[in-house]
Amino acid sequence: MYKRTHTCGELRKDHIDETIHLNGWVNTVRLHGQVIFIDLRDRYGKTQIVFNSEDYNGDFVAVKKLSMEDVLSIKGTVQSRSEGAVNPDMSTGEIEVAVDSMELLSETAPLPFVITDRESALEDLRLKYRYLELRTDELQKNILTRHKTYQAVRSYLSDNNFVEIETPTLMKSTPEGARDFLVPSRIHHGKFYALPQSPQLYKQILMISGFDRYFQIVKCFRDEDFRADRQPEFTQIDVEMSFVDEEDIYSNMEGLTRHIFKELNDVDLPDPFPRITYADALAKYGSDKPDTRYELFLNDVKEFTDRSEFNAFKSAESVKAIVLPGGAKYSRKIIDGLTDFVKKYKAKGLTWMKGENGKLSGGIAKFFDENLQSDLIHATEIKDGDIIFIIGDEKTVVEPALGALRVEIAKREGLADPNIYKPLWVTSFPMFEYDEVENRYTAMHHPFTAPHQDDIEKLETDPASVLSRGYDLTMNGHEIAGGSIRIHSPEIQNKVFSLLGLSLEDAKEKFGFLVEALTYGAPPHGGIAFGFDRLVMILTGSNNIRDVIAFPKTTSAVSLMDDAPNTVSSQQLNELGIQIKPDKN
Ligand code: ASP
């Protein structure tokens, strides 16, 4: 093998006349009779190499047989390209290498898909041959962005006194919300470890141990059902700080986020980041992760529908609308499609009217007399050529359904500029959600989140109205991080467990070590975790979480490349004392 003297992205005009060696993959082959052009590729770039039957010392027939993805090592001389052949899109586009001799290091089997064209195969096939798909420019770029993001996170946090500490992957099952992945213990028959849903308990305990600024880039595991943008194992930037309140978390994490976006994308994010309360976010955007790159705000129009002859909304708790400028162009068919869309969000239907000659027309316009039309036009600023979409129902239906419609319309109309990044803190979440099925409260964030100081009294009298000290960092309609100031008093922690329907016994059994640790001098503390994969998606502009993970699972939690999960031998099961029931149910 001619060991490489340069990479395939390195040669420039300055190297002309030098004898060099390159190693790489055949990206493309072009045969021109007695001259063969190959783009040789490695992760640094591509270089055009030329085999000319007159100058080439080896077997020209063997060169003719080369195909895409064969691995070569070549020796040759750098020469300038003839004028018309210069390729300004290639960093090596001014030169080419006249090959003197070549060694075929590895011949490829017939390829299952064309590496230069990801779209040439369905995703399942690409995932089965993930090592081939990882050769594509797009995934090489994504993985490098991911690498640089790790480095940016580590350098920023380390420079700011955060200590990187690993926490165990085999831990005790401590339900935090999602279902745990379990690992049976061989040594302790009948006992199980759980894979961490997050290092939540460990990082709080590290605060009690005095490591007042902790971070970790860590794998987390949640055994949740099918969801397109979720992975059963995913990565978090996990952070915890002592002697802090919300402001300290915000300023440190804004610093981190600004640093990442500057380093990776040369983008200057605002300083400080804007904030919105959970209630306002829902009222204005219909979402707790609003995309603030465009307007399309939700308007309350109940007073107008109440005055109309349209009766369906009279008993509705909430009636809200969004106005789409220029939306009168929407055909009946498009509106029907949007109606089906909002039904997925539990809305019973989607009513509408269009602005025309200073009045409203179509849809439910006939139920609004002239005065009322003019009041509604005035209040919502509908212009001729606009459309107003209205939904009336329970507030918990209206806001999310219109919020989803807002995002869908923005997508259709191309309102979200992919080059703009709009961070936004969402604050003042409710502490609890009521689970109608289980007939009990569940924690909106997790059971270790502190209630607002002013609301502690209400924990017993009116839990539904208690706000928490939780916060989310959102960007462009995605939640990129979430966290909270924690409870550091064992009494309040026990009270919250009992509100969540955990008996003292259960709580002791599940989280006793944390509650005990809280009794030995716990500093006030709080933290946050960033969804690392989501962050890299935003940085790379990808819209598929699998595109930023080297070896992802499918939406049904399968790894198509190595066929995990899979059966194990009966000997392995015996050692664990486990017997598989013939049918799961
Ligand atoms: N452990 C939390 C989570 O994974 C984040 C936090 O509260 O720091 O969502």
Side-chain angles (χ1 to χ4, degrees):
M1 177 173 83
Y2 306 106
K3 272 200 192 164
R4 61 183 169 189
T5 53
H6 298 81
T7 69
C8 295
E10 202 175 343
L11 296 171
R12 299 287 185 275
K13 264 176 152 168
D14 293 351
H15 298 96
I16 286 172
D17 291 335
E18 281 181 32
T19 301
I20 55 89
H21 300 169
L22 294 179
N23 301 156
W25 284 262
V26 172
N27 195 63
T28 46
V29 188
R30 292 186 310 281
L31 300 171
H32 284 278
Q34 293 312 301
V35 185
I36 297 172
F37 294 95
I38 285 180
D39 277 351
L40 197 66
R41 184 195 76 234
D42 63 14
R43 80 167 165 93
Y44 305 92
K46 288 176 206 131
T47 303
Q48 175 163 294
I49 62 174
V50 193
F51 295 81
N52 190 322
S53 67
E54 279 173 21
D55 312 329
Y56 180 59
N57 287 325
D59 174 6
F60 199 69
V61 177
V63 179
K64 280 190 168 166
K65 286 193 192 141
L66 290 176
S67 58
M68 289 201 295
E69 302 308 312
D70 285 340
V71 185
L72 308 185
S73 135
I74 60 129
K75 178 169 162 243
T77 311
V78 184
Q79 61 187 32
S80 72
R81 290 202 196 182
S82 57
E83 221 167 87
V86 168
N87 182 350
D89 298 334
M90 236 167 136
S91 60
T92 61
E94 287 185 311
I95 57 92
E96 61 189 11
V97 175
V99 183
D100 175 48
S101 35
M102 178 270 284
E103 191 184 331
L104 176 58
L105 297 176
S106 180
E107 189 182 343
T108 179
L111 295 169
F113 59 90
V114 187
I115 309 292
T116 45
D117 179 13
R118 282 185 80 201
E119 304 310 316
S120 68
L122 290 178
E123 193 181 22
D124 278 5
L125 187 67
R126 288 183 272 125
L127 285 174
K128 178 163 159 58
Y129 297 97
R130 184 65 167 178
Y131 40 89
L132 294 180
E133 191 181 22
L134 282 169
R135 290 183 191 167
T136 60
D137 286 347
E138 189 179 346
L139 293 195
Q140 293 257 322
K141 205 175 119 264
N142 290 356
I143 297 297
L144 279 181
T145 299
R146 190 174 173 112
H147 159 75
K148 288 184 193 149
T149 311
Y150 296 130
Q151 309 315 316
V153 170
R154 290 208 160 94
S155 71
Y156 184 87
L157 290 176
S158 176
D159 287 350
N160 284 279
N161 257 332
F162 286 81
V163 183
E164 183 166 4
I165 306 176
E166 285 183 82
T167 53
T169 301
L170 295 177
M171 64 179 283
K172 181 176 165 166
S173 174
T174 52
E176 261 178 67
R179 195 180 291 111
D180 281 334
F181 275 104
L182 298 175
V183 180
S185 163
R186 178 184 56 82
I187 300 174
H188 305 282
H189 268 199
K191 293 197 169 167
F192 294 82
Y193 301 98
L195 304 181
Q197 294 181 28
S198 85
Q200 185 62 36
L201 297 169
Y202 291 109
K203 67 173 171 176
Q204 288 193 238
I205 284 176
L206 284 169
M207 294 305 107
I208 299 169
S209 305
F211 293 99
D212 65 345
R213 289 180 165 215
Y214 142 95
F215 85 99
Q216 184 178 196
I217 300 179
V218 62
K219 271 286 176 80
C220 302
F221 306 85
R222 293 182 193 174
D223 189 2
E224 285 174 308
D225 288 333
F226 191 106
R227 234 175 83 193
D229 60 345
R230 287 270 169 92
Q231 286 279 303
E233 53 178 309
F234 58 95
T235 306
Q236 284 189 345
I237 308 167
D238 198 41
V239 172
E240 196 76 8
M241 302 174 76
S242 292
F243 308 115
V244 293
D245 60 19
E246 289 83 339
E247 296 304 324
D248 302 288
I249 303 278
Y250 297 159
S251 64
N252 278 279
M253 295 303 109
E254 288 180 18
L256 170 64
T257 312
R258 272 195 293 275
H259 178 74
I260 295 171
F261 277 79
K262 186 69 190 168
E263 288 286 295
L264 271 292
N265 287 15
D266 197 23
V267 164
D268 291 300
L269 294 180
D271 182 7
F273 292 176
R275 301 177 193 175
I276 192 170
T277 63
Y278 171 81
D280 287 349
L282 278 168
K284 190 168 171 190
Y285 299 96
S287 169
D288 60 1
K289 40 180 199 270
D291 192 337
T292 53
R293 286 174 296 175
Y294 48 87
E295 296 194 337
L296 295 183
F297 302 132
L298 276 56
N299 289 296
D300 190 334
V301 295
K302 180 147 171 69
E303 70 169 278
F304 304 102
T305 53
D306 276 355
R307 280 163 55 200
S308 76
E309 268 145 45
F310 185 68
N311 292 327
F313 291 161
K314 293 275 158 69
S315 60
E317 178 191 20
S318 160
V319 184
K320 289 195 158 191
I322 47 182
V323 175
L324 173 64
K329 65 180 180 212
Y330 278 12
S331 64
R332 194 62 217 222
K333 193 161 159 235
I334 294 180
I335 297 174
D336 286 348
L338 294 174
T339 307
D340 290 339
F341 175 83
V342 296
K343 284 185 181 162
K344 285 193 262 170
Y345 296 86
K346 297 198 188 134
K348 290 184 201 73
L350 180 65
T351 56
W352 56 275
M353 293 180 267
K354 291 178 179 177
E356 194 181 300
N357 299 328
K359 296 194 181 131
L360 297 173
S361 69
I364 57 170
K366 59 174 178 283
F367 300 105
F368 292 68
D369 66 29
E370 208 165 306
N371 272 341
L372 190 53
Q373 286 198 2
S374 131
D375 289 353
L376 181 60
I377 287 172
H378 188 71
T380 57
E381 296 178 13
I382 310 170
K383 312 241 164 5
D384 286 357
D386 295 354
I387 190 166
I388 180 169
F389 290 110
I390 309 177
I391 297 180
D393 211 311
E394 299 291 308
K395 187 164 159 231
T396 52
V397 171
V398 172
E399 289 178 343
L402 271 180
L405 181 68
R406 177 178 178 270
V407 173
E408 176 64 20
I409 287 178
K411 210 189 289 167
R412 282 172 170 271
E413 299 295 318
L415 300 179
D417 183 339
N419 298 311
I420 293 181
Y421 303 93
K422 292 265 197 179
L424 176 71
W425 287 106
V426 182
T427 67
S428 305
F429 284 87
M431 180 90 176
F432 305 104
E433 276 171 312
Y434 198 73
D435 186 326
E436 306 282 348
V437 183
E438 294 203 16
N439 237 344
R440 65 177 182 93
Y441 286 107
T442 57
M444 185 116 169
H445 186 44
H446 53 53
F448 318 108
T449 297
H452 259 230
Q453 202 60 31
D454 304 340
D455 290 354
I456 289 181
E457 306 271 279
K458 290 194 285 187
L459 272 178
E460 256 143 317
T461 52
D462 186 12
S465 75
V466 175
L467 296 181
S468 83
R469 298 181 71 185
Y471 32 75
D472 279 354
L473 179 58
T474 70
M475 187 181 280
N476 297 3
H478 302 284
E479 179 194 330
I480 62 169
S484 58
I485 299 299
R486 324 297 184 190
I487 298 167
H488 69 282
S489 128
E491 293 77 40
I492 296 189
Q493 186 64 76
N494 278 331
K495 196 175 277 179
V496 169
F497 285 150
S498 89
L499 270 168
L500 294 173
L502 278 169
S503 69
L504 205 54
E505 233 94 282
D506 278 355
K508 256 202 191 128
E509 151 76 22
K510 290 191 170 114
F511 308 109
F513 60 104
L514 174 69
V515 179
E516 189 179 6
L518 289 176
T519 66
Y520 289 105
H525 60 287
I528 193 162
F530 285 72
F532 188 79
D533 310 294
R534 180 68 36 81
L535 189 63
V536 179
M537 273 174 80
I538 295 176
L539 291 165
T540 56
S542 313
N543 47 29
N544 180 343
I545 197 162
R546 295 179 290 283
D547 284 356
V548 297
I549 298 174
F551 299 106
K553 309 256 185 307
T554 63
T555 36
S556 48
V558 168
S559 169
L560 295 172
M561 188 180 78
D562 54 55
D563 240 347
N566 219 315
T567 50
V568 296
S569 70
S570 50
Q571 187 194 344
Q572 284 170 298
L573 287 178
N574 270 339
E575 280 175 352
L576 296 168
I578 286 183
Q579 202 180 4
I580 306 294
K581 281 192 184 174
D583 187 276
K584 193 177 151 202
N585 303 314

